[in-house]
Amino acid sequence: MKKKTFLKSCITATLLTLASTSVFASNGLIAIITPSHDNPFFKAGAEGANAKAKELGYDTLVASHDGDVNKQNQLIETAIARQAKAVILDNADADASIGSLERLKKAGIPAFLYDREINKTGIAISQIVSNNFQGAQLGGEKFAELMGDGGEYVELVGPESDTNAQVRSEGFHDILDNFPEFKMVARQSANWSQTEAFSRMESILQANPNIKGVITGNDSMALGAEAALQAAGRKDVFIVGFDGLDYARDSILKGSNIKATIMQPAYAQAQRVAEQADLYIRTGTTGLPEKQLMDCVLIDGSNAKHLSNFALKQ
C-alpha cells in the first residue's frame, strides 16, 4: 500500500513539474508572418526568426500571408486575439500594411519588421532591411565589369509598387548610367516570378537578339531568364541576380549564364529582429533606431562555393 502511495506521489509530482515547465518555460507567444515559404529567401527568414525566438524561450506562431494584404490582416488579428508578446513581419505591401500595424500598436503589441519597410515610421519598433541600394551598386559594378567594352542589356525588375524593387533598380542605374556605351534595350517587370521572367525573356530575346547581359532584381527572375536563354541556346548572355539563392550559386559554379548574385543576409537579419523583439519585451526598448540597414555581399566565382542558405560559411 505504501509502495502504491509512494508511486502515486511520484507521478503526481512529475505531472506538476511538467505542468509548471509548460507554463513557466515560455516567455509568451511571438507571431512570425512572412510571404510564401515557396521562395527560399522568405523560408530562410522565417526559419531564422523562429529558431532564435524559440532559443530565447518563446512559443511561436509561424504563418504566411502569401503576398495577400487581407490574409496578412487576418493573421495579425489572430496574433492580437492570442495576446502575442510581439509580431515579427515581412510585410505584404509598404502602404497597405500600415493600417494593420497601427491596429497592433493600439492593442499594445510591438511590431518588428524585416526585409521590407513600410512607408511610415513610428508604428513599428524596428525595421531591419538589407541595404538594397548598396547591394545593387555592387551588382551594377560587377555587371559593368562583365559588359566590358559595352553593348546592349536588359533589366528585369520586381513589382513597380515594391520599395525594394525601386531601390534596387536605382542602385543598378547609379552605376550603369555612367557608361554611355551600355544600352538598355528593355526594362520589364516580372514581379519577382521565375515563370514570368521566363516568358518576358523569351519575348525580349526575340525582339533584341544582340543583348549581352541581363540584370535582375532577384534571383528567381534570374533563374527564369537563364532558363529562357538556355532554351534559345544562348550561353553567351550573362546574368547578374540579387538575393543569394543557393540555386544561383550552383549556376555560378557550373559556369552557366548566371555569373554573380548579391547575397542578402536573410537568416541573420531575421535572427537579429527576433533578438530585438526579445530585448524590447524584457526592457521596453531596443536602444537602437527604428530603421536599420544590413549590408549585402557580392557572390561570384571567387566565393560562391562558400554560400549556403544566405550566409557565407568557411
Side-chain angles (χ1 to χ4, degrees), residues 72-90:
Q72 176 180 279
N73 292 344
Q74 292 168 4
L75 291 169
I76 286 176
E77 289 299 326
T78 298
I80 293 171
R82 293 187 58 176
Q83 300 180 322
K85 293 288 186 180
V87 170
I88 291 173
L89 176 67
D90 188 344

Side-chain angles (χ1 to χ4, degrees), residues 170-313:
E170 289 168 3
F172 292 151
H173 286 281
D174 185 64
I175 302 298
L176 299 179
D177 291 354
N178 294 313
F179 297 88
E181 64 270 32
F182 300 167
K183 182 182 179 183
M184 183 172 68
V185 294
R187 180 185 184 274
Q188 293 189 22
S189 172
N191 295 305
W192 303 136
S193 166
Q194 184 171 342
T195 303
E196 285 192 44
F198 180 90
S199 61
R200 296 282 187 276
M201 195 69 243
E202 276 191 321
S203 299
I204 290 170
L205 194 57
Q206 289 173 4
N208 303 278
N210 297 322
I211 62 170
K212 189 173 181 179
V214 181
I215 193 163
T216 69
N218 79 344
D219 280 342
S220 292
M221 294 189 297
L223 290 166
E226 180 180 56
L229 290 168
Q230 289 177 348
R234 295 296 302 273
K235 296 181 180 179
D236 58 312
V237 181
F238 68 86
I239 302 170
V240 172
F242 199 112
D243 273 344
L245 293 184
D246 287 353
Y247 298 128
R249 170 205 64 198
D250 295 342
S251 180
I252 293 168
L253 292 174
K254 287 189 297 186
S256 192
N257 296 80
I258 298 175
K259 301 302 181 187
T261 182
I262 305 302
M263 184 195 78
Q264 296 189 80
Y267 195 87
Q269 194 178 90
Q271 292 222 313
R272 182 176 295 185
V273 82
E275 290 170 346
Q276 291 186 20
D278 169 63
L279 182 61
Y280 187 86
I281 290 166
R282 290 187 292 104
T283 69
T285 181
T286 65
L288 295 165
E290 177 181 336
K291 293 215 173 183
Q292 303 162 50
L293 295 175
M294 293 182 71
D295 280 349
C296 301
V297 178
L298 173 69
I299 305 296
D300 59 13
S302 68
N303 61 357
K305 66 181 180 181
H306 300 298
L307 176 64
S308 179
N309 199 31
F310 304 97
L312 284 174
K313 301 175 182 178

